[in-house]
Amino acid sequence: MMARIGVVTFPGSLDDRDAARAITVAGGEPVPLWHKDRSLAGVDAVVLPGGFSYGDYLRCGAIARFAPVMEMIIDGAQGGLPVLGICNGFQILCETHLLPGALTRNDSLHFVCRDQRLRIDSTSTPWTSDYALGQEIVVPLKNGEGGYVADERTLDELEAEGRVVARYLEVNPNGSRRDIAGISNAAGNVVGLMPHPEHAVEPLTGPSTDGLAFFTSILTRLARA
């Protein structure tokens, strides 16, 4: 049976269809979820896509985290449901405390849009297991509040526990601490990533197809479950 991956749309989401397309290209079935839904429709995993979230004028993700669908996602994630948050989705995961730290205004104070080189530093999550450890990839990045910050103890814990999933190479585009581009929770099922792998799954539209493995990874993991 084909794995069903939910993709949540909030008011202002603009990458939900790209995420759904990436899931289809990887071989899964995307299931659209609305932010007011009170059911996850039995999906096997969830993607929180990027975009300008509802309530960004307060703090990115601070209001979106209270959407009804997030109650189910928080409960599911705490029970082991795989969840991937991309860009604004990463911000929402931090606001829900499913991931530690926060995303702040870029240190340049400018919106950044570029093709970004990354290194995969963890392949133990269900979203990165199809990569090789240390593999370098190129995917698009676009954000105004993408600087990852946390206190030194949290950063040390992330490093010591192998929870830094991806790290910026060559250029740190937003001032993220320790060049961190993505992290996971302690269990590994929840991953937040600031760059956009869903925009790099087909050669016609992306700078590479390097992002596809984020989506094939979860399908591989679910097939083995």
Side-chain angles (χ1 to χ4, degrees):
M1 181 180 296
M2 186 179 294
R4 302 171 73 247
I5 313 298
V7 179
V8 180
T9 298
F10 296 88
S13 292
L14 54 81
D15 293 324
D16 44 350
R17 295 192 178 188
D18 301 72
R21 173 67 181 166
I23 292 165
T24 298
V25 172
E29 178 187 352
V31 177
L33 298 173
W34 180 235
H35 74 117
K36 289 187 176 180
D37 286 349
R38 295 187 180 277
S39 166
L40 296 183
V43 298
D44 303 300
V46 169
V47 174
L48 300 177
F52 296 92
S53 69
Y54 173 56
D56 268 3
Y57 51 84
L58 175 62
R59 190 177 64 244
C60 294
I63 291 179
R65 65 154 293 188
F66 293 108
V69 75
M70 289 307 302
E71 295 180 21
M72 270 63 68
I73 292 174
I74 292 169
D75 288 345
Q78 292 172 339
L81 178 73
V83 179
L84 173 65
I86 303 169
C87 193
N88 188 216
F90 188 6
Q91 296 161 344
I92 294 170
L93 290 176
C94 289
E95 291 291 335
T96 60
H97 305 298
L98 288 173
L99 293 175
L103 283 305
T104 63
R105 188 77 175 161
N106 295 347
D107 59 354
S108 66
L109 303 183
H110 293 286
F111 188 90
V112 175
C113 183
R114 55 175 287 129
D115 294 336
Q116 179 67 47
R117 182 171 292 278
L118 307 174
R119 185 181 67 230
I120 301 298
D121 278 359
S122 172
T123 57
S124 62
T125 84
W127 299 98
T128 54
S129 56
D130 278 0
Y131 288 104
L133 187 63
Q135 183 175 343
E136 296 183 8
I137 66 173
V138 176
V139 300
L141 174 140
K142 49 177 187 173
N143 63 71
E145 299 191 21
Y148 180 73
V149 297
D151 59 48
E152 289 299 317
R153 187 175 73 173
T154 299
L155 292 170
D156 289 342
E157 287 178 354
L158 291 171
E159 301 274 10
E161 297 173 4
R163 292 165 55 193
V164 176
V165 170
R167 211 179 299 264
Y168 298 118
L169 294 179
E170 298 177 353
V171 174
N172 183 332
N174 43 36
S176 286
R177 299 297 307 276
R178 304 190 189 184
D179 299 331
I180 289 174
I183 61 171
S184 75
N185 65 345
N189 61 301
V190 179
V191 169
L193 186 71
M194 185 48 58
H196 288 260
E198 78 278 18
H199 295 328
V201 299
E202 294 176 290
L204 180 64
T205 55
S208 70
T209 59
D210 291 349
L212 185 59
F214 277 93
F215 303 95
T216 61
S217 292
I218 185 60
L219 298 180
T220 300
R221 181 65 63 92
L222 291 171
R224 292 174 179 169

